[in-house]
Amino acid sequence: PHGLLKVWLCDDPTLCFIGFTRPVVGSIPMIAEWQATMAARHAAGKLRLPPTAAERSATARRERAFWQQYFR
């Protein structure tokens, strides 16, 4: 899923960037096709994006608070 980070670079899941890549191996059209497929799957509701940094940190805070409550 780290390849998805090259498509969705901000916290707005309705904005994606396709074809803005410089692959080390492969070609831009091949990667752009894969990115377009992932964007279409996301638009159709068949692909869930990874959590944003804010969501990950909020989850981490909740988990830390839970464990600190029971194990001091």
Side-chain angles (χ1 to χ4, degrees):
H2 75 281
L4 296 176
L5 298 177
K6 304 296 183 190
V7 179
W8 288 276
L9 295 176
C10 62
D11 290 339
D12 183 0
T14 63
L15 176 65
C16 61
F17 300 90
I18 297 172
F20 292 94
T21 185
R22 297 196 70 177
V24 175
V25 177
S27 66
I28 292 174
M30 178 183 69
I31 293 173
E33 183 177 348
W34 176 82
Q35 291 174 331
T37 300
M38 294 296 106
R41 288 184 63 207
H42 173 65
K46 296 181 180 180
L47 175 70
R48 185 169 176 249
L49 296 179
T52 63
E55 292 169 338
R56 286 191 307 269
S57 63
T59 300
R61 281 194 303 273
R62 282 194 305 272
E63 288 180 1
R64 192 177 312 112
F66 171 81
W67 289 111
Q68 286 177 351
Q69 178 182 356
Y70 294 104
F71 301 99
R72 293 178 186 232

